[in-house]
């Protein structure tokens, strides 16, 4: 087995940062009224600015594949060019197309002159970590000497007011209150666009530090818990999911079948408990204590969860002081599968890291409650 090192990190955030007050200028107002949920959600999530691949007229400025391509291009220099890539592994929750795969579309934009092995990881926030693990295992096994891994999202176009107009008209016909459900409106003020990328190699950098991936672990609790966050279908009263292909095309619009939705009650009841359970399992498996972590990079969707997560950790004997937590949620927003890439990229280029320090990446996914971890050493 080969050692695996993150030798370069990069990111791409589209356009200028968007403040809380500007959000509806980009996403629009549903039924021409300001959202009643917006201020409450923003007060709790602690996000101050985020990025949209949109202009104020609602026009797209970048596709998801283009965001990913631009992040990956920032990895290249004379020592490693796009023609040196052996594996391209891309994760996202919001691909531009159902098919071809997201990775294939990114590869098409890169226009390198060699064939590469592709992997596309779907899902929610863990799709980025799953893409990273594919690249990690490829290099570790000796299948390849390098892999470029990415996480990216372009969710803003999913959240534009026009996407919900048919649903509002349907509610008016039924003489119901023409306001979309909180499970949909809630997410309009949570999510952002952007992409991050890592270069993985079997040898570390010669003249600057690298991050050795010691191990990666993943856990799913779908066997215990029902679906919490979803798109392309809807949840029935018995908790089962009805896919988009079982709805008529008219229902796709009237019921916003393709919109992102989240069952907030199930989220609050389970996201922290299962996160701590899986974190402890990973640490116990690798015989780690809290003192073996110098930086904790937790992907949290909202600052609302930070104190609760810390207290739940402490209950299980995982006492990592908050000053060791490194996050950039308030500046870049919740970028789903790209969030952990953006956090590590900022830390990697911060000048703070010292050789020998240990970093834990921690990513929860509320789709059906799965969690991923990566343990890194600065070398």
């Amino acid at each position: 087995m080969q050692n695996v090192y993150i030798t370069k990190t990069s990111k791409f955030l589209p356009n200028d940062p968007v403040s809380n007050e500007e959000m509806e200028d980009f996403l629009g107002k549903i039924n021409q009224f300001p959202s009643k949920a917006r201020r409450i959600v923003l007060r709790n999530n602690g996000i101050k600015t985020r990025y949209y691949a949109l202009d104020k007229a609602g026009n797209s400025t970048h596709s998801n594949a283009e965001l990913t391509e631009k992040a990956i291009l920032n990895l290249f220099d004379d020592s490693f060019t796009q023609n040196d890539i052996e594996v391209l592994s891309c994760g996202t929750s919001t691909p531009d197309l159902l098919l071809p795969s997201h990775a294939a579309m990114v590869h098409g934009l890169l226009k390198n002159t060699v064939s590469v092995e592709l992997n596309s990881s779907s899902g929610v926030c863990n799709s980025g970590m799953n893409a990273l693990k594919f690249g990690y295992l490829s290099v570790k096994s000796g299948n390849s000497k390098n892999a470029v891994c990415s996480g990216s999202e372009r969710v803003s176009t999913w959240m534009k007011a026009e996407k919900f107009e048919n649903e509002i008209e349907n509610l008016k016909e039924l003489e119901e209150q023409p306001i979309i459900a909180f499970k949909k409106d809630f997410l309009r003020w949570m999510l952002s666009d952007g992409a991050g990328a890592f270069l993985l190699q079997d040898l570390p950098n010669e003249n600057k530090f690298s991050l050795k991936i010691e191990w990666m672990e993943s856990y799913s609790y779908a066997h215990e818990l029902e679906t919490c966050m979803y798109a392309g279908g809807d949840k029935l009263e018995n908790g089962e999911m009805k896919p988009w292909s079982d709805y008529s095309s008219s229902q796709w619009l009237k019921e916003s079948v393709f919109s992102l939705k989240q069952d907030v009650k199930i989220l609050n009841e389970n996201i922290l408990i299962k996160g701590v359970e899986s974190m402890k399992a990973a640490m116990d498996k690798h015989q780690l204590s809290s003192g073996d972590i110098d930086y904790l990079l937790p992907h949290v969707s909202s600052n609302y969860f930070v104190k609760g997560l810390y207290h739940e950790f402490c209950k299980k004997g995982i006492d990592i002081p908050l000053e060791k937590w490194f996050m950039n949620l308030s500046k870049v927003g919740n970028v789903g599968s790209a969030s952990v890439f953006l956090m590590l990229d900022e830390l990697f280029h911060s000048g703070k890291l010292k050789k020998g320090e240990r970093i834990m990446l921690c990513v929860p996914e509320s789709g059906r409650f799965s969690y991923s971890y990566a343990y890194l050493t600065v070398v």
Side-chain angles (χ1 to χ4, degrees), residues 181-196:
F182 182 73
K183 65 183 178 182
K184 300 174 187 176
D185 199 17
F186 163 75
L187 290 170
R188 297 185 75 221
W189 318 114
M190 297 290 293
L191 304 174
S192 312
D193 299 343

Side-chain angles (χ1 to χ4, degrees), residues 13 69 107 137-138 208 266 316:
L13 297 170
E69 175 216 13
H107 185 213
L137 292 176
S138 178
K208 54 184 178 180
I266 296 176
K316 294 293 185 181

Side-chain angles (χ1 to χ4, degrees), residues 235-254:
K235 187 189 286 192
L236 305 179
E237 288 187 9
N238 63 2
E240 293 181 3
M241 296 300 300
K242 182 177 178 179
W244 64 270
S245 54
D246 287 349
Y247 286 89
S248 68
S249 57
S250 62
Q251 287 176 306
W252 295 350
L253 295 173
K254 287 185 177 180

Side-chain angles (χ1 to χ4, degrees), residues 126-298:
N126 268 326
S127 58
M129 286 288 273
N130 292 339
L132 178 61
K133 189 164 187 178
F134 185 94
Y136 162 67
L137 292 176
S138 178
V139 177
K140 189 169 186 63
S141 67
N143 175 73
S144 61
K145 291 184 178 297
N146 68 67
V148 169
C149 306
S150 69
S152 65
E153 304 295 351
R154 193 197 69 163
V155 71
S156 57
T157 51
W158 292 34
M159 300 300 179
K160 289 167 60 178
E162 64 187 39
K163 296 292 197 296
F164 301 93
E165 287 176 358
N166 283 277
E167 179 175 351
I168 291 299
E169 290 304 314
N170 189 43
L171 289 170
K172 287 179 179 178
E173 290 175 13
L174 295 171
E175 296 183 348
E176 293 180 9
Q177 187 71 16
I179 299 173
I180 64 168
F182 182 73
K183 65 183 178 182
K184 300 174 187 176
D185 199 17
F186 163 75
L187 290 170
R188 297 185 75 221
W189 318 114
M190 297 290 293
L191 304 174
S192 312
D193 299 343
F198 298 160
L199 172 60
L200 275 54
Q201 294 181 283
D202 60 355
L203 294 172
N205 290 313
E206 290 185 0
N207 301 316
K208 54 184 178 180
F209 69 81
S210 302
L211 303 175
K212 181 184 177 185
I213 303 179
E214 302 288 356
W215 50 260
M216 294 188 70
E217 297 287 350
S218 300
Y219 301 85
S220 167
Y221 296 94
H223 63 300
E224 296 178 10
L225 301 169
E226 66 183 59
T227 306
C228 176
M229 187 176 185
Y230 50 97
D234 219 341
K235 187 189 286 192
L236 305 179
E237 288 187 9
N238 63 2
E240 293 181 3
M241 296 300 300
K242 182 177 178 179
W244 64 270
S245 54
D246 287 349
Y247 286 89
S248 68
S249 57
S250 62
Q251 287 176 306
W252 295 350
L253 295 173
K254 287 185 177 180
E255 299 183 31
S256 304
V257 168
F258 289 96
S259 67
L260 280 169
K261 299 169 269 293
Q262 191 167 47
D263 190 322
V264 181
K265 182 176 184 292
I266 296 176
L267 177 75
N268 288 338
E269 288 176 352
N270 296 287
I271 193 68
L272 298 184
I273 293 171
K274 292 302 182 184
V276 174
E277 182 179 327
S278 57
M279 176 84 156
K280 189 173 190 317
M283 292 178 67
D284 287 350
K285 179 177 179 179
H286 295 278
Q287 299 180 332
L288 293 186
S289 67
S290 302
D292 295 319
I293 298 172
D294 297 298
Y295 288 95
L296 176 67
L297 276 59

Side-chain angles (χ1 to χ4, degrees), residues 285-322:
K285 179 177 179 179
H286 295 278
Q287 299 180 332
L288 293 186
S289 67
S290 302
D292 295 319
I293 298 172
D294 297 298
Y295 288 95
L296 176 67
L297 276 59
H299 166 49
V300 291
S301 61
S302 169
N303 275 324
Y304 169 81
F305 291 116
V306 172
K307 288 185 177 179
L309 182 58
Y310 172 73
H311 290 309
E312 291 296 328
F313 276 154
C314 290
K315 288 179 185 177
K316 294 293 185 181
I318 305 172
D319 187 3
I320 305 170
L322 287 173

Side-chain angles (χ1 to χ4, degrees), residues 20-167:
N20 292 349
E21 291 70 30
E22 296 175 293
M23 294 180 76
E24 284 185 312
D25 294 339
F26 288 84
L27 301 181
K29 298 175 182 177
I30 296 174
N31 201 32
Q32 303 305 310
F33 290 101
S35 167
K36 293 183 177 180
R38 183 177 71 89
R39 292 191 182 280
I40 297 170
V41 173
L42 289 170
R43 184 172 66 242
N44 285 321
N45 68 24
I47 300 170
K48 304 300 181 186
T49 55
R50 75 283 297 142
Y51 292 82
Y52 291 146
L54 292 174
D55 61 24
K56 282 195 175 182
N59 301 310
S60 297
T61 59
H62 305 80
S63 68
N64 190 331
E66 287 171 336
L67 294 174
T68 310
E69 175 216 13
K70 290 183 181 298
I72 291 172
L73 288 175
N74 290 330
L75 295 172
F76 303 140
D77 56 24
D78 292 339
S79 65
F80 188 90
T81 72
Q82 59 204 69
N83 292 324
D84 295 317
I85 300 175
E86 295 183 28
V87 175
L88 178 63
S89 183
C90 303
T92 187
S93 313
T94 54
D96 299 313
L97 306 168
L98 291 175
L99 52 99
S101 74
H102 177 55
M105 300 309 294
V106 174
H107 185 213
L109 291 175
L110 288 174
K111 292 183 169 52
N112 52 350
T113 60
V114 295
S115 178
V116 302
E117 180 178 359
L118 295 179
N119 174 61
S120 285
S121 175
S122 63
V124 195
C125 300
N126 268 326
S127 58
M129 286 288 273
N130 292 339
L132 178 61
K133 189 164 187 178
F134 185 94
Y136 162 67
L137 292 176
S138 178
V139 177
K140 189 169 186 63
S141 67
N143 175 73
S144 61
K145 291 184 178 297
N146 68 67
V148 169
C149 306
S150 69
S152 65
E153 304 295 351
R154 193 197 69 163
V155 71
S156 57
T157 51
W158 292 34
M159 300 300 179
K160 289 167 60 178
E162 64 187 39
K163 296 292 197 296
F164 301 93
E165 287 176 358
N166 283 277
E167 179 175 351

